[in-house]
Amino acid sequence: MAGIRIVNLSKEYRINGRKINALSDVNLEVEDKSFVTVVGRSGCGKTTLLRILCGLEEKSQGQIFFTNSKGDVTSSRPKLSMVFQEHRLMPWLTVGENMAFALGREDPKVRRRKVDMHLELLGLTKFKDAYPHQISGGMAQRVALGRTLCYDPEIILMDEPLGALDAFTRQNLQGEIVKLFINKQKTVVFVTHDVDEAILLGQQVVIMDKGRIKKQLAIGLPYPRRPDSERFFKYRQEILGAIMGEQGD
Ligand SMILES: Nc1ncnc2c1ncn2[C@@H]1O[C@H](COP(=O)(O)OP(=O)(O)O)[C@@H](O)[C@H]1O
Ligand SMILES: [Mg+2]
């Protein structure tokens, strides 16, 4: 059980002496077992935020705390896992082996049981012995999701995991991610540049612009959501307005 509290987080990069403020004074509360989507234009700092959260990148300033279900700061670091836009499966391992890999040195019987369970859950049983190059992009991303679920983290960070998929596959997987979230009760931070995807998935939508959080919006719609409802339309307008803002480009 874990949430995240981000306090005054900033990140600067330097390229040839030129300073880039990838994140400026970001404050965000991700409650335990909540689904937060982060949406914004390319280059607004979404990936940097996730990379800092999972420890792949150093922050420049600010603090990151992990919290328990009551919202109190804990000293223990929760189990955390990241899903990327590219599946990052190991090409020399089968689908089943890729998923088992996440289970490390667990007892072989337990490993087999967990892998089989997640293969079943994600409709991958038939592909257990296939290699990554033998399956479609959507299937591979499903395997990447399965691998993460086998690892069983408390917090899942997703960086545009559906970004490379065709619209139809994407829609299917969006639905499945919502179902998984409801059943598995994980804390999720999901990054996307797709406004509809942000509203379909998130209980909270965080809108980023030029390294800052511009707006945060609670989405008061029950799952599964329909993009053609009037309230959905209103959220879309509000988010697009915040992203396009003054610049209107
Ligand atoms: N390793 C890096 N070195 C220098 N600049 C970087 C690096 N990573 C990202 N940036 C810059 O930081 C800003 C935010 O990038 P990023 O977090 O990747 O945005 P997003 O994921 O929203 O597209 C961009 O201006 C990008 O060019
Ligand atoms: Mg990115």
Side-chain angles (χ1 to χ4, degrees), residues 13-15 20 22 41-49 57 159:
Y13 290 109
R14 267 175 203 279
I15 303 179
I20 296 168
R41 294 165 193 256
S42 167
C44 73
K46 305 182 295 297
T47 294
T48 302
L49 178 64
E57 194 80 65
D159 192 3

Side-chain angles (χ1 to χ4, degrees), residues 110-229:
V110 177
R111 272 164 65 131
R112 216 169 304 132
R113 190 172 50 76
K114 285 193 182 169
V115 168
D116 287 347
M117 187 177 89
H118 287 99
L119 284 167
E120 181 74 34
L121 182 73
L122 287 158
L124 288 165
T125 306
K126 274 195 297 190
F127 299 93
K128 182 178 182 179
D129 299 318
Y131 286 89
H133 75 273
Q134 296 173 317
I135 57 176
S136 68
M139 279 293 171
Q141 207 50 298
R142 225 175 255 268
V143 180
L145 209 56
R147 179 180 53 181
T148 291
L149 292 174
C150 279
Y151 177 64
D152 199 22
E154 293 162 270
I155 301 177
I156 305 181
L157 307 172
M158 301 203 217
D159 192 3
E160 311 213 23
L162 313 181
L165 306 177
D166 63 82
F168 189 70
T169 309
R170 187 177 185 135
Q171 215 177 326
N172 271 339
L173 272 171
Q174 284 165 345
E176 292 200 16
I177 287 174
V178 165
K179 273 194 219 145
L180 287 172
F181 169 70
I182 295 167
N183 294 334
K184 296 263 173 185
Q185 305 250 309
K186 302 283 184 195
T187 304
V188 183
V189 183
F190 185 109
V191 157
T192 179
H193 61 256
D194 183 311
V195 173
D196 277 20
E197 183 164 272
I199 308 168
L200 274 172
L201 301 180
Q203 295 169 319
Q204 297 282 331
V205 175
V206 173
I207 301 153
M208 281 187 68
D209 185 41
K210 298 195 196 91
R212 295 180 184 276
I213 292 184
K214 201 154 183 195
K215 192 169 193 164
Q216 184 171 342
L217 205 66
I219 306 293
L221 297 172
Y223 295 120
R225 297 173 178 161
R226 293 175 55 97
D228 52 3
S229 73

Side-chain angles (χ1 to χ4, degrees), residues 32-48:
D32 176 40
K33 298 192 177 61
S34 67
F35 199 126
V36 173
T37 48
V38 179
V39 65
R41 294 165 193 256
S42 167
C44 73
K46 305 182 295 297
T47 294
T48 302

Side-chain angles (χ1 to χ4, degrees), residues 57-83:
E57 194 80 65
E58 293 274 334
K59 58 185 168 19
S60 301
Q61 271 137 41
Q63 282 165 299
I64 293 165
F65 301 105
F66 293 103
T67 55
N68 60 20
S69 54
K70 291 191 219 126
D72 299 327
V73 172
T74 56
S75 53
S76 59
R77 197 182 152 78
K79 242 173 125 177
L80 202 138
S81 177
M82 182 118 153
V83 182

